[in-house]
Amino acid sequence: MRTMFFTQAVDDALARAMADDPRIVLFGEDTPLLRRELLVRFGPKRVRGAPISESAFLGAGVAAALAGLRPVVEIYMVDFLGVCMDALLNHAAKVETFSGGKWTAPVVVRAPCGGGYGDGGQHEQSLWGWLAHIPGLTVLVPSTPADAGGLMLAALRHDGPVIFLEHKLLSETWLEFLGSGGRRTVKFDIPEEGAKGPVPKTWEPLPIGKAILRRTGDDMTIVSVGSGIHRAIEAAEALEKEEISAGVMDLRTVSPLDKATICESVAQTGRMLVVDEDYEAFGLSGELSAILLEAGISCRYARVCTQTTIPYSRYLEDRCLPNATGIMEIARQLMRS
Amino acid sequence: MPPDLWSLYALMLKSRLLEEAVAMFWQDGLISGEMHLGTGEEAVIAGVVAHLREGDAMALDHRGTAALVMRGVDPVLLLREMLGRPDGLCGGKGGHMHLFSKEHLSASSGIVGSAGPTAAGFALASQYLRPGTVAVAFFGEGAMNQGMLLESMNLASAWNLPVLFVCKDDGWAITTASKALTGGDLNERARGLGIPASEVDGLDVSAVWEAAGSAVERARSGQGPAFLRARCVHFEGHFLGFQLIRLVRNPFKEMPKISIPLIRSLLRRGGAGLRERLSGMKTVLGAVQSTRRDPRRDRDNDPVRRARMALPSDAARLQELESQVEKEIHDALASALEEVPS
Ligand SMILES: Cc1ncc(C[n+]2csc(CCOP(=O)(O)OP(=O)(O)O)c2C)c(N)n1
C-alpha cells in the first residue's frame, strides 16, 4: 500500500491516465505552475495556462471535448463557476439530449471547494447541490485520497461532463497556497484521514454513483460527502460513548445519487441525518429526503447544513459550517424525536 | 493646477503603514486565509482617489484596502475587519476581499473582473441620481481578459457612463506573466471600444494624478468613460506568503520541497518526449528566474519612497507629516487590538 496526500493522489491518477491517453489535456489559470509536476512530464502542449477568461476556456473545453479531446479544465475555485456557468448549464449538460443521444462532451471540470480556512463566502462555497440540480452533469465529491484518485480516473473515462470537486481542507496543496502560506501561526481543523491516506498500488476507476458505508450503526444513518464525512465520523465516534450508534454513509457522487444504497441503510436504521457543507435550502439535503419519501420509507430526518453566506471571521465561520459538535447535538435530538 | 504632493504623500504613507500592520496580523496568524496587499500600487490609488468627492463611487478588487483608507474610511474599522471583529467595518463578515462602505459608495469583490459591471452600475445611478459624480473601477491587467470587464467597457462607452477604468498593471496574475496570455495591446482594446486610453508610470503619483484628473473631469462633464493604465509592482507578489517569493527569499528551505517531486516527475516513465519535458521544466525555472529578477524586488520601485523624494525640501514639514501619519496608524492599531466589547 502506498500513502498519498489528497491532491497528490488526484494528480497521480491523472498522470497515469494522461500517460495512457494522449487525448487528455489540462488547462486553466496558473495550471502550468500549480500542476508543475504534470507539466514537466507531459510538456506545455498538454498542460496549458489560460487567461482569466473562464467563459471562453470552459466553453472551449466543452467544445474540444465534443471534437475528440478529453480536456480537464481547472477552475480556480468552484465559486468562480459563477462567471462561466453557461458553458455547463446550457451547453455541456444539454448536448447529449439535443443531439438525440448521438454526441456527448467528455470534459472534466476540476475545482477546489469548501471552507474552514478564513477566505469568506466568495471563495469557500461547496455548490455541489447547485451543480447537481442540472440534468446531464455528473458531480463527484471525494473524501479520501484513494477515492479521489479512483474517481478522477472514472471521470476521465466517463462519456459526459463531470465536475470533480476537491475540498480545500483535504488538500495540502491548496491549504499551503491559500491558507498557511508558509506560516506556522495558523491552524486549520484538517480531517487527517481525508488529507492523507492509503491508495492502491495501481489506480482503478471507482464506479460513479456508488455510495459507501464508512461506518456501521444501528440507530441512524448520517449521510454526507467530502470533508463532511470526517466531521460525521468524528461525531459518530463520540456519540458511541452516549450509546448512540450512528452509521456514516459517504455518497462520493452527488449526481447521480446512489438511491438504492441510501434507502437500504435508512430503512434499517429508521433515521437519517444529513451533514452537508453546501447550502441547506433547495439542495442535497432536501433531495435525500425526497428520495426516501418516494421510496415509501418512513424515517426520522434531520440535517446540519450551511444556512447562510459564509462569513469571513474564523469564529463566525466555525459556527456557520457543519462541525462535529453541531452534528452531535442534532443527532441527540433526532434520537429523542 | 499642480498636485499637492504633500497630501498625496500623506495618503500613500497612511495606506502603506496600515497595510504593514495588516501584514503583521497575517504573520502572527490573526488573519487566517489569503491576504492581498496593495503595497506597491499606492501611487495609482492615491493619484486617482485624490480626485474623488462626495457622491463618487468606487468598485474595488481583491486589493481594496488602500483605496478605502485613502477615501477616508476609518483605519480602525479596516483593521478590526481584518481581525474578524464584530466592530469591524463589515462586522467581521467581509474581510479584505469583501470590504463595503455604503457611506463611500464603495464595494469590493474577490471575483476578478467584477469591478467592471459594478462601476458601470454605480455610474448609471450617478447619471440618474447624482449628475456630475463619477465611478472608478480598479482592477489588474489580468482582469482585462475577463469577459464581464470588457463587456462593461463597451456598455460604458455605449451608454456614455461616467466611469474611469483604472488598470493597475503589475504584469502578473498570480503565477502567470500576463503578457504571455494577453492578445494585442490593452490601450488599443479600450480605444477599439471607443474609450480614450492613456498610459502612465504608476509609480509616479504626480503623473497618475494628472492623467486621472483629466479623465475624471471628462466623465464629470458628461463626456463618458476613460481608461487609464498604470504600471506598478506588488512587493509581496500575489499575496502574503506567495510561494514564488518565498522560494526566492529562502531558497534553501523552499527549494527541496518543490524540486524533489518535480525531478522525480520529470524522470517518470510514460508521457512526453524529452524536448517537451525540458520545455515544461523551462517554464517552471523561468517563473523562478523572473521572480528573482523581478522589478518588484527593487526598492527603487517603491512608489511611497519615490513620492517622498519628489517632495520639496522641507525637513521640518516632512517630519511633522510623517509623525502625524505614524501616530494615526499607531493609535488605530492600538485601538483595533483593544478587547472586543461584550
Ligand atoms: C473570476 C475569477 N477567476 C479567478 C480568480 C482567482 N484569482 C484571484 S486574483 C487573480 C489574478 C488577478 O490578476 P490581476 O487582475 O492582474 O490582479 P493582481 O492580483 O495582479 O493585482 C486570480 C486569477 C478569481 N478570484 N476570480
Side-chain angles (χ1 to χ4, degrees), chain B residues 3-7 9 206 306-319 321:
Chain B
D4 174 3
L5 286 177
W6 291 98
S7 65
Y9 174 62
S206 303
R306 282 206 191 181
R308 189 178 197 266
M309 288 192 309
L311 291 171
S313 161
D314 184 342
R317 184 168 179 191
L318 180 63
Q319 203 201 346
L321 181 154

Side-chain angles (χ1 to χ4, degrees), chain A residues 54-55 58 73-88 109-111 126-127 130-131 137 163 165, chain B residues 111:
Chain A
E54 288 90 353
S55 21
L58 180 55
V73 181
E74 298 219 24
I75 297 294
Y76 236 115
M77 295 196 192
V78 72
D79 316 68
F80 310 154
L81 275 177
V83 305
C84 53
M85 196 55 179
D86 177 69
L88 294 178
V109 179
R110 178 180 180 184
S126 295
L127 301 182
W130 184 58
L131 293 160
L137 299 184
I163 325 289
L165 300 179
Chain B
I111 306 299

Side-chain angles (χ1 to χ4, degrees), chain A residues 125-167:
Chain A
Q125 298 168 94
S126 295
L127 301 182
W128 45 70
W130 184 58
L131 293 160
H133 181 61
I134 301 161
L137 299 184
T138 296
V139 182
L140 307 179
V141 188
S143 70
T144 65
D147 278 10
L151 286 172
M152 175 47 88
L153 219 53
L156 292 165
R157 294 196 187 171
H158 188 69
D159 265 334
V162 178
I163 325 289
F164 185 94
L165 300 179
E166 293 171 61
H167 200 288

Side-chain angles (χ1 to χ4, degrees), chain A residues 101-118:
Chain A
K102 291 179 187 143
W103 216 1
T104 60
V107 62
V108 176
V109 179
R110 178 180 180 184
C113 71
Y117 64 100

Side-chain angles (χ1 to χ4, degrees), chain A residues 32-92:
Chain A
L33 278 217
L34 293 174
R35 307 282 168 235
R36 55 188 172 263
E37 281 145 39
L38 297 171
L39 173 71
V40 299
R41 180 166 167 198
F42 297 98
K45 290 201 183 100
R46 292 182 69 190
V47 180
R48 263 174 205 258
I52 310 175
S53 310
E54 288 90 353
S55 21
F57 72 76
L58 180 55
V62 172
L66 290 172
L69 286 178
R70 295 229 152 209
V72 176
V73 181
E74 298 219 24
I75 297 294
Y76 236 115
M77 295 196 192
V78 72
D79 316 68
F80 310 154
L81 275 177
V83 305
C84 53
M85 196 55 179
D86 177 69
L88 294 178
L89 171 67
N90 285 320
H91 296 87

